[in-house]
Amino acid sequence: GQQVMQIPQYQHVQEGEDFTTYCNSSTTLSNIQWYKQRPGGHPVFLIQLVKSGEVKKQKRLTFQFGEAKKNSSLHITATQTTDVGTYFCAGPGTGTASKLTFGTGTRLQVTL
Amino acid sequence: IAGITQAPTSQILAAGRRMTLRCTQDMRHNAMYWYRQDLGLGLRLIHYSNTAGTTGKGEVPDGYSVSRANTDDFPLTLASAVPSQTSVYFCASSDSMALSSYNEQFFGPGTRLTVL
């Protein structure tokens, strides 16, 4: 079945450092979504990428969809303590368009 | 306030007991989902429903059942709980029929379940 892997599983940075998480799918994706889950909270949608090679920015966050549409990345510039949480990518599941297959997530810890 | 509610917030349950986790949304979304979240394993889909009256199995359906009698409610039942079902359970919904939508999923606050 479809697998979506993320690396690293965990990263600890000092505030102000950059951070990147990578998402890799075993199959070509029609689109990819990113979610953020704060500690003790629930996942919240951040963005969706659809086009091959697409790059989107949200303030300090940059999202990229690979040319082959099998990988994606999220880069945070100059991390802040408010960036703490787990970041998940998700691709369309098999069999029905509404399902998502979530990646394993990358937990980001930011310290002063 | 529009959104998804889940109940209970947390529960400690003896093995072998029956338990129903409740989920209600007021966004009139057609699709609803149940996930379990375990450390290091991310979010795994248990069951889903694309519309009222229909349900489907996700990645880890064994030991769980769902029903979708109406648009708003999507309860998850553990017929006979086992310790391996100790997890955090999230309900989610999406408007997968909307042409202009990203089909993003909206998550409830979660239910923390411990089976002893």
Side-chain angles (χ1 to χ4, degrees):
Chain A
Q2 179 189 59
Q3 290 186 329
V4 181
M5 303 299 294
Q6 280 183 257
I7 55 171
Q9 188 172 4
Y10 170 76
Q11 187 151 5
H12 182 182
V13 300
Q14 297 274 326
E15 188 177 49
E17 293 181 339
D18 291 356
F19 159 78
T20 304
T21 173
Y22 300 91
C23 177
N24 295 288
S25 170
S26 58
T27 59
T28 302
L29 303 171
S30 60
N31 64 79
I32 194 157
Q33 298 183 7
W34 284 91
Y35 291 76
K36 177 183 178 180
Q37 182 178 23
R38 294 182 187 276
H42 58 275
V44 175
F45 175 81
L46 293 176
I47 208 162
Q48 176 169 292
L49 304 172
V50 178
K51 300 176 184 177
S52 170
E54 187 171 14
V55 177
K56 287 189 176 180
K57 293 190 176 185
Q58 288 181 348
K59 297 183 181 179
R60 294 177 294 103
L61 277 62
T62 301
F63 303 84
Q64 187 165 2
F65 201 8
E67 294 290 341
K69 302 184 78 173
K70 294 183 71 174
N71 57 75
S72 180
S73 64
L74 159 58
H75 179 81
I76 302 178
T77 303
T79 55
Q80 299 176 358
T81 54
T82 53
D83 296 323
V84 165
T86 301
Y87 293 85
F88 293 97
C89 62
T94 56
T96 182
S98 67
K99 290 194 300 181
L100 292 175
T101 297
F102 280 83
T104 45
T106 295
R107 186 161 70 94
L108 172 64
Q109 180 63 37
V110 181
T111 53
L112 296 172
Chain B
I1 298 176
I4 300 180
T5 57
Q6 291 185 237
T9 301
S10 65
Q11 181 77 45
I12 299 175
L13 190 65
R17 296 296 296 268
R18 180 183 180 90
M19 175 74 191
T20 295
L21 308 185
R22 300 185 298 278
C23 174
T24 299
Q25 54 106 355
D26 63 1
M27 297 176 283
R28 307 303 293 172
H29 285 170
N30 63 291
M32 297 187 74
Y33 318 85
W34 274 105
Y35 296 91
R36 60 177 290 172
Q37 184 173 36
D38 304 289
L39 195 62
L41 296 176
L43 292 155
R44 293 184 293 167
L45 183 66
I46 304 171
H47 285 288
Y48 67 96
S49 168
N50 282 330
T51 189
T54 69
T55 63
K57 294 182 179 180
E59 181 185 353
V60 287
D62 294 344
Y64 306 95
S65 63
V66 292
S67 61
R68 187 88 183 277
N70 56 61
T71 298
D72 299 343
D73 301 299
F74 192 41
L76 176 74
T77 297
L78 289 67
S80 178
V82 296
S84 62
Q85 292 178 310
T86 294
S87 187
V88 179
Y89 291 85
F90 287 101
C91 179
S93 71
S94 71
D95 185 6
S96 66
M97 308 292 276
L99 294 178
S100 60
S101 160
Y102 279 146
N103 191 27
E104 65 188 274
Q105 293 190 6
F106 295 82
F107 284 78
T111 293
R112 184 174 295 276
L113 181 67
T114 302
V115 183
L116 301 175

